[in-house]
Amino acid sequence: MLQQSLTFSAALDKYPVLTVGDGLVSQMPALVVSTSAGLAISRASGRSEFGSQVVEQMLGMRNVLLIAAGFLTFIGLLPGLPFFPFALLAAILVFLVYRQSREEVAAQEAESQAPADSSEPSMADVLRVDTLTLEVGYGLLPLVDASRGGDIPERVKKLRRQLAQELGIVIPPVRVVDNLQLKPGGYSIKLYGVEVAEGEVMPDRHMAIDSAGVQSFPGGLEAKEPVFGLNAFWIKGDDRQLAESRGLTVVDPSTVLTTHLAEVLRRNADQLLGRDQVDELLGFVRSEYPKLVGELVPDQLSLGELVGVLQTLLAERVSIRNLRTILEAVASAVPQGKEVPRLAEAARAALWREVSTAVADDDGCIHAILLDRDLEFGLRNSLAPGGVLAPEPEVYQALVEQAAELARQASEERHSPCILVADDLRRPFRDLVGSQLPDVPVLAIRELDRQAELRVVGTVSAKSSR
């Protein structure tokens, strides 16, 4: 009886195993038939070779291979089924997934290491023109490469912030590139792809500017300071103390280059301002004074006309940072007409503090060149329609020569002179002498700070000084 019970119990233990196994075996033909039908249908819709399609569709996707490997492992763990064959097939599929991953990584590395110019540049790259570009010779690469200790990139960043506070505009980024066609120490400053200034520095020396009138310096190489054209010497670093003791101003080559760049940006600030930049500036003012901006632009004045007013101010180095005052003055003057020069004059009159401060020396004193009564009377009589001065050629020549000489004498005494004229003559007089005296500001009497000290440098007459 006990023997029969044990036999019956063993039979009960084997029955589920045999039943499950029989069910799985009976499903295998159906699985093979279904797979064959799927392959046949795929084959019917394709034109490539059958073997290539099988490999591509069944072994080309890593996720499918991983799922198949997991399924085979699960089957191998079922009771009564051999584990080793299923585990071997699963290991083969995992290996295929690993090899595909390695091949993809190698392909990505090869693509990243391929030369950048191996593919044809896009039309956007070909047609793009950088606003500001600083091209340097190969000898200046240590000065512009931050990884090699160059400080020019950081200096340029600080310069952009400084000019933004000084001029009231956002200076666009400066693109620094090397140019093998330049001299080793040469550099070129380009605006919209066109060269506007150039220079040359010696990276292994310092520039000693001859502001004290020293005629020579032992061991120094004669040069010209690039901004104002002053006499200078390229000296060795060890001679710096000697040069400073003789009254020379010593600066490093990075300072020479960035100072030149700053002066170029100041002179061309009006060309850096466009509609997009002005619209951005108006956004800042609109957040605090919405009625002022909403009433003026575009109801009374178009954006383009306002850009012209601001460009006119920047062309004469008048900061537009106090944009609220400018807009208030323009809004008050625009009912009488939308002429850009007249609106710019109204803005200058409202910015009298900024205008006076810009021409004053460090001690707050303004050194002015005046016009005598006869010359002023003659200029006013020569005023043609359209606000253009048309004096006699000899009068114009005498005016320019005398003003230039007086400005030179004041500069030698380390003063920044200006020409002071009547209010109604300021704009036409500036247009008359601007090409010959671009660095001498012309101020109207109403633009003077009444509390500033005024010193007369000299008086210009209609008669030649010769």
Side-chain angles (χ1 to χ4, degrees):
M1 186 66 181
L2 180 60
Q3 183 68 25
Q4 292 179 352
S5 299
L6 292 175
T7 304
F8 181 76
S9 176
L12 289 177
D13 292 336
K14 292 182 179 180
Y15 179 79
V17 176
L18 294 175
T19 303
V20 173
D22 182 72
L24 291 175
V25 170
S26 64
Q27 292 297 321
M28 292 303 295
L31 178 61
V32 172
V33 172
S34 300
T35 305
S36 301
L39 292 175
I41 294 174
S42 301
R43 172 59 183 159
S45 62
R47 295 185 178 180
S48 60
E49 296 183 0
F50 183 74
S52 301
Q53 277 194 336
V54 171
V55 174
E56 181 179 356
Q57 294 181 12
M58 297 189 64
L59 303 179
M61 300 182 64
R62 287 182 296 175
N63 292 336
V64 174
L65 296 179
L66 290 175
I67 294 174
F71 182 73
L72 290 174
T73 304
F74 172 76
I75 292 178
L77 295 175
L78 291 176
L81 294 179
F83 175 76
F84 179 77
F86 291 101
L88 179 61
L89 292 176
I92 294 175
L93 294 179
V94 172
F95 174 76
L96 292 176
V97 172
Y98 172 76
R99 190 177 67 176
Q100 288 183 8
S101 302
R102 291 293 302 272
E103 290 175 354
E104 290 181 4
V105 172
Q108 292 177 357
E109 292 178 353
E111 183 179 355
S112 63
Q113 294 176 1
D117 56 352
S118 60
S119 60
E120 184 178 354
S122 63
M123 290 301 298
D125 295 334
V126 174
L127 298 178
R128 186 184 67 180
V129 178
D130 294 314
T131 305
L132 291 171
T133 306
L134 173 62
E135 297 183 352
V136 298
Y138 68 87
L140 300 183
L141 292 180
L143 299 181
V144 301
D145 189 356
S147 62
R148 300 166 62 179
D151 59 347
I152 286 184
E154 185 63 28
R155 287 173 178 258
V156 171
K157 291 181 182 179
K158 294 180 180 179
L159 175 63
R160 292 177 59 209
R161 290 193 293 267
Q162 174 188 341
L163 292 179
Q165 296 178 349
E166 178 182 331
L167 301 176
I169 64 174
V170 178
I171 303 296
V174 181
R175 183 167 177 256
V176 182
V177 297
D178 61 311
N179 187 346
L180 297 179
Q181 297 181 353
L182 296 175
K183 296 180 180 179
Y187 62 89
S188 173
I189 303 173
K190 292 186 176 182
L191 181 63
Y192 299 110
V194 180
E195 183 179 271
V196 293
E198 63 176 350
E200 186 175 1
V201 298
M202 302 184 70
D204 57 342
R205 288 180 174 244
H206 288 65
M207 173 172 279
I209 302 174
D210 188 9
S211 57
V214 179
Q215 299 298 323
S216 63
F217 188 85
L221 304 177
E222 295 185 3
K224 286 288 185 180
E225 191 270 335
V227 178
F228 302 105
L230 301 175
N231 295 329
F233 306 96
W234 285 110
I235 64 174
K236 298 180 180 180
D238 298 339
D239 296 333
R240 179 166 189 162
Q241 293 184 352
L242 175 61
E244 292 177 344
S245 65
R246 299 183 64 176
L248 300 177
T249 303
V250 182
V251 293
D252 56 68
S254 297
T255 302
V256 175
L257 196 154
T258 52
T259 302
H260 194 186
L261 176 62
E263 184 64 19
V264 170
L265 295 180
R266 291 188 183 97
R267 292 181 178 180
N268 298 276
D270 58 315
Q271 301 181 41
L272 302 176
L273 189 70
R275 283 174 169 79
D276 292 335
Q277 290 78 12
V278 173
D279 186 65
E280 184 179 0
L281 295 176
L282 287 178
F284 299 148
V285 181
R286 188 182 290 109
S287 62
E288 297 184 7
Y289 309 98
K291 291 185 178 180
L292 172 62
V293 178
E295 178 184 348
L296 181 61
V297 181
D299 295 341
Q300 300 185 50
L301 201 66
S302 67
L303 182 62
E305 291 169 333
L306 180 59
V307 171
V309 173
L310 299 180
Q311 288 178 340
T312 302
L313 295 174
L314 289 173
E316 296 191 42
R317 301 196 183 189
V318 177
S319 173
I320 62 172
R321 186 179 182 183
N322 189 359
L323 190 56
R324 175 184 174 274
T325 299
I326 296 175
L327 296 179
E328 291 281 6
V330 171
S332 300
V334 76
Q336 287 76 39
K338 298 183 179 181
E339 298 82 6
V340 170
R342 192 183 63 81
L343 296 178
E345 290 302 301
R348 285 181 60 97
L351 296 173
W352 57 271
R353 286 191 180 89
E354 289 84 349
V355 173
S356 296
T357 302
V359 300
D361 290 344
D362 296 336
D363 57 358
C365 180
I366 298 176
H367 294 77
I369 300 173
L370 305 180
L371 306 181
D372 69 5
R373 182 176 302 178
D374 294 339
L375 177 58
E376 186 173 312
F377 180 78
L379 290 176
R380 189 173 282 108
N381 289 337
S382 69
L383 193 62
V388 178
L389 291 177
E392 297 295 331
E394 58 272 12
V395 174
Y396 173 73
Q397 183 177 0
L399 186 159
V400 172
E401 289 178 351
Q402 294 179 48
E405 179 61 23
L406 291 174
R408 185 189 63 81
Q409 294 176 4
S411 298
E412 290 180 351
E413 298 177 1
R414 299 187 179 183
H415 300 311
S416 300
C418 65
I419 300 177
L420 187 61
V421 298
D423 297 344
D424 60 326
L425 289 179
R426 201 215 73 84
R427 170 56 58 183
F429 187 84
R430 178 66 177 80
D431 295 338
L432 178 66
V433 302
S435 60
Q436 300 296 323
L437 304 172
D439 297 327
V440 182
V442 179
L443 267 67
I445 295 178
R446 64 180 178 180
E447 298 171 354
L448 281 179
D449 186 351
R450 299 295 185 270
Q451 298 181 353
E453 181 182 357
L454 180 64
R455 296 179 185 176
V456 178
V457 175
T459 304
V460 178
S461 65
K463 299 180 180 179
S464 176
S465 57
R466 297 181 180 178

